[in-house]
Amino acid sequence: MILLTNNPKVSEEMKAVNNVKIYYYQDVDYGGILEHAQQLIVNEKLILLSHPLSGSIKPNETYYKTIFFSEKSNQFIDIESLEYIESALLVYEKFMKNQMRPNWTEKILADFAFVDLYLTKSTLQRMGTTYVNHSG
Amino acid sequence: MKLELGKIQIQDVVAGAEEKIEANILYINPETIVDIVLEDDRLAECSVEIAKPGESVRITPVKDVIEPRCKVDSSSGIFPGVINKVDTVGGGRTHVLKGCGVMTVGKIVGFQEGIVDMKGPGAELTPFSKLIEICLVLEPKEEIEPHQYEEAARFAGLKIADYLGRLGESIEPDEIVTYETLPLQEQLAQFPELPKVGYIYMLQTQGLLHDTYVYGTDAKHIVPTILYPTEIMDGAIVSGNCVSACDKNTTYHHLNNPVIEDLYQKHGKELNFIATIITNETVYLKDKQRSSDFVAKLSEFLGLDGVIISQEGFGNPDTDLIMNCKKLEEKGIKTVIVTDEYAGRDGASQSLADADKLADAVVTGGNANETVKLPKLDKVIGQLDYVDVIAGGFDGSLKEDGSIEVEIQAITGSTNELGFNQMSAKGV
């Protein structure tokens, strides 16, 4: 499967997981990851495996986002995946219009990265992929 | 299954050397409480503070609230599978200390826990301002990770609620309320002329710091199943959720679920309350399909005519809510959904992250983006400097004069999606 992420903790820790390819974009925010996800669905015809609004932290609060995709391309664009991502983009824009994301401190950003990493680990567990932390 | 709930009205909480309940006053010993909490070596410090309704006190960051309860003359205990044996609960007799709560206070992940004001406009938005709060202000050991601290804080609150609840075991309650649900065939036969109604109880289960536990097991790994509603009153469901203070179901909410309470009130009069079906809110799309299919299948199997579906949290769970609603409606089972809204500060935007035309009966807990100005209060329990980074706060939320301007999503329980709050919208 493919992990699309802007979270350095996910990129670092998930390297060790079998059968996981990481698409890591360190310079984009939550919205940028949603846009990359849309491109993967439309251009690469990949299928979404996780909900793009995973976690109940609001899109105008957290900076980090990790989204799971199937590795295999479809013949056609997966309409369900497209609907999920378009709906998530609308929600993202609504929240950012209501209140821009504050300029967080490093400590808070680290907390957000932790939460995104935890959700990623839990989702991998649900998918039946054993997560092994080789860093100890 | 039949549960007698004996309510002991606690009118005051007094800290001292004695531990007892006498003349509706709960006497607690903070030293004993601290000793029990610090048995967990993941916690470095604990202090006990009492906050009463109407006092000029702000409590933040609030993690969980738990109502003290105990089983009476029973080998089982509340919160089974977590701090007591994993015995089936929900029958026999339970005593509850009404009017007070054990509140765990401490920063888990720096930005998601909520505010509870005991006085002023903020107090109007949370049910917890009406309780005498026994606050456990916690500090973790430095080296532990946030999810380990969350677990330690969760256990601390549950252990103290269990410990204080036991002080009520031999006290004669002020009131006893009996709740009963029969095995399915008998329940169907009891009120054959009334519509058969179920409750679909969605639990927050997106991952670490977003979890809920059922008899101690992590609910993201369950397929939907059936509980007698009284099991929930004995602590079969506990909260491990640390995000989105306004629409988080604390353990107190689970113990006092108003949907269950109201369905029992109408049971045998307007409807036949058959069962509670618990389900989850997951991130993996395959799990969403499996769980919503199971909800629809179980509801059909039970022969339900209608259901109430409640939600917890924002965004991704909106999809589970709508999937449950749609699949049930397509089977001819009427639905009412209970949710809250993120409709922008002016309330003009789309409220949910998902929608369907079959979701045509909705109860809202309010718009979480509304703002409120909270005046300075005399005392803070916890840490006020986190208000700027609490969900619903924003840069400059904390003013120099000590007042705070926040969206109401920063206030614990303000837009609760079980309906355990005052706010709603009414219309036709």
Side-chain angles (χ1 to χ4, degrees):
Chain A
M1 76 188 78
I2 291 165
L3 275 183
L4 171 66
T5 187
N6 63 347
N7 184 350
K9 287 191 202 297
V10 169
S11 169
E12 182 57 32
E13 289 217 22
M14 295 298 147
K15 277 193 304 201
V17 182
N18 286 337
N19 304 321
V20 169
K21 274 189 192 170
I22 296 170
Y23 290 6
Y24 176 45
Y25 295 94
Q26 60 179 340
D27 296 327
V28 302
D29 71 352
Y30 188 117
I33 288 295
L34 292 182
E35 284 167 11
H36 276 294
Q38 189 181 32
Q39 285 164 18
L40 289 177
I41 292 165
V42 173
N43 299 333
E44 308 296 325
K45 302 185 179 56
L46 297 183
I47 298 170
L48 203 57
L49 295 181
S50 65
H51 196 286
L53 295 175
S54 54
S56 283
I57 301 177
K58 314 303 175 301
N60 61 347
E61 292 166 4
T62 184
Y63 181 85
Y64 297 108
K65 173 51 60 186
T66 302
I67 303 177
F68 291 72
F69 286 91
S70 66
E71 206 170 321
K72 204 173 153 207
S73 286
N74 235 7
Q75 191 180 354
F76 304 105
I77 292 172
D78 182 59
I79 296 300
E80 197 181 343
S81 299
L82 189 62
E83 284 173 357
Y84 274 123
I85 202 69
E86 287 186 343
S87 166
L89 277 161
L90 286 176
V91 170
Y92 175 78
E93 284 158 16
K94 177 183 81 175
F95 271 83
M96 291 301 272
K97 192 176 140 204
N98 188 53
Q99 172 71 42
M100 290 295 283
R101 185 184 296 116
N103 199 6
W104 298 116
T105 62
E106 288 295 319
K107 171 75 183 73
I108 299 299
L109 280 172
D111 276 350
F112 282 125
F114 254 122
V115 174
D116 182 65
L117 174 65
Y118 289 159
L119 292 180
T120 304
K121 286 182 183 178
S122 299
T123 307
L124 269 176
Q125 197 186 4
R126 284 300 312 149
M127 290 172 167
T129 301
T130 309
Y131 166 75
V132 182
N133 185 351
H134 291 289
S135 64
Chain B
M1 187 174 275
K2 184 173 170 182
L3 181 71
E4 288 181 332
L5 200 63
K7 300 181 180 180
I8 301 162
Q9 295 297 337
I10 298 299
Q11 288 162 1
D12 201 0
V13 176
V14 175
E18 279 193 299
E19 294 179 307
K20 62 179 181 181
I21 296 169
E22 197 174 271
N24 296 96
I25 297 172
L26 170 63
Y27 295 84
I28 63 168
N29 182 341
E31 283 180 26
T32 316
I33 290 173
V34 169
D35 287 347
I36 295 169
V37 169
L38 294 184
E39 281 171 8
D40 191 323
D41 59 14
R42 294 171 294 188
L43 297 173
E45 284 178 51
C46 171
S47 62
V48 179
E49 302 210 44
I50 298 168
K52 297 178 184 175
E55 287 183 344
S56 184
V57 174
R58 172 162 298 143
I59 314 168
T60 188
V62 173
K63 174 186 159 20
D64 198 11
V65 187
I66 308 115
E67 189 170 55
R69 294 187 173 211
C70 74
K71 296 301 294 173
V72 177
D73 295 330
S74 170
S75 60
S76 60
I78 56 160
F79 310 125
V82 185
I83 56 164
N84 283 302
K85 286 186 296 176
V86 67
D87 296 333
T88 300
V89 292
R93 180 139 162 189
T94 297
H95 282 179
V96 49
L97 310 191
K98 297 306 288 185
C100 67
V102 173
M103 182 177 270
T104 45
V105 181
K107 178 196 82 72
I108 307 284
V109 279
F111 50 87
Q112 287 292 314
E113 298 84 17
I115 299 170
V116 170
D117 279 2
M118 301 304 283
K119 183 184 181 179
E124 298 301 315
L125 293 167
T126 175
F128 301 118
S129 63
K130 281 86 181 169
L131 304 177
I132 303 169
E133 300 294 358
I134 300 160
C135 303
L136 310 179
V137 184
L138 303 171
E139 281 288 338
K141 293 263 176 70
E142 274 184 17
E143 66 274 16
I144 68 169
E145 290 197 4
H147 71 281
Q148 294 169 315
Y149 176 33
E150 185 283 320
E151 185 179 78
R154 174 166 20 107
F155 288 170
L158 297 172
K159 279 193 287 189
I160 298 306
D162 179 57
Y163 181 76
L164 297 177
R166 288 174 195 268
L167 298 175
E169 185 171 1
S170 58
I171 303 291
E172 190 55 39
D174 298 294
E175 180 192 7
I176 296 173
V177 184
T178 302
Y179 303 88
E180 185 171 24
T181 298
L182 300 171
L184 180 61
Q185 289 195 30
E186 293 169 48
Q187 191 55 65
L188 291 171
Q190 191 183 25
F191 306 114
E193 73 288 359
L194 294 176
K196 301 178 287 296
V197 175
Y199 172 36
I200 313 298
Y201 198 173
M202 292 172 51
L203 307 176
Q204 175 65 265
T205 60
Q206 295 185 76
L208 284 168
L209 307 177
H210 293 66
D211 280 324
T212 303
Y213 300 87
V214 179
Y215 280 94
T217 201
D218 182 342
K220 72 170 155 303
H221 300 303
I222 66 166
V223 288
T225 189
I226 295 168
L227 291 186
Y228 281 104
T230 52
E231 295 178 76
I232 297 156
M233 298 176 183
D234 273 346
I237 298 175
V238 305
S239 171
N241 184 11
C242 296
V243 290
S244 206
C246 63
D247 51 20
K248 168 172 89 175
N249 294 336
T250 66
T251 301
Y252 188 96
H253 287 109
H254 290 301
L255 290 167
N256 290 283
N257 186 312
V259 176
I260 292 173
E261 181 69 32
D262 286 0
L263 283 171
Y264 268 126
Q265 294 228 351
K266 294 181 185 298
H267 183 52
K269 298 171 194 151
E270 295 174 36
L271 53 85
N272 190 357
F273 182 20
I274 303 295
T276 298
I277 298 172
I278 55 166
T279 183
N280 44 25
E281 301 172 344
T282 61
V283 171
Y284 186 23
L285 296 175
K286 202 185 265 187
D287 283 338
K288 285 189 185 307
Q289 184 182 342
R290 183 186 302 112
S291 290
S292 54
D293 283 350
F294 265 69
V295 163
K297 186 172 64 180
L298 282 173
S299 300
E300 180 185 56
F301 181 74
L302 294 171
L304 300 178
D305 299 308
V307 298
I308 295 173
I309 313 171
S310 69
Q311 185 192 355
E312 180 173 1
F314 147 85
N316 170 25
D318 295 354
T319 298
D320 300 279
L321 178 72
I322 296 299
M323 285 172 94
N324 285 327
C325 168
K326 198 173 162 206
K327 289 178 185 182
L328 285 157
E329 289 279 348
E330 283 169 349
K331 284 190 180 291
I333 299 166
K334 298 281 182 207
T335 63
V336 175
I337 62 174
V338 190
T339 182
D340 66 349
E341 302 174 62
Y342 289 83
R345 292 195 184 157
D346 59 1
S349 303
Q350 171 72 25
S351 299
L352 296 179
D354 209 333
D356 192 277
K357 63 180 187 303
L358 291 173
D360 57 2
V362 181
V363 176
T364 174
N367 177 15
N369 292 132
E370 267 185 45
T371 56
V372 62
K373 196 166 183 182
L374 307 176
K376 181 180 189 299
L377 298 182
D378 294 342
K379 181 181 173 185
V380 173
I381 295 176
Q383 303 138 295
L384 197 56
D385 56 322
Y386 285 103
V387 167
D388 260 2
V389 293
I390 269 178
F394 34 89
D395 274 342
S397 295
L398 179 58
K399 312 287 181 199
E400 276 183 21
D401 65 0
S403 68
I404 304 171
E405 190 176 358
V406 286
E407 291 187 2
I408 62 170
Q409 59 169 311
I411 295 173
T412 303
S414 62
T415 63
N416 178 262
E417 294 165 286
L418 303 174
F420 201 105
N421 59 345
Q422 295 297 316
M423 264 197 303
S424 191
K426 291 178 184 170
V428 267

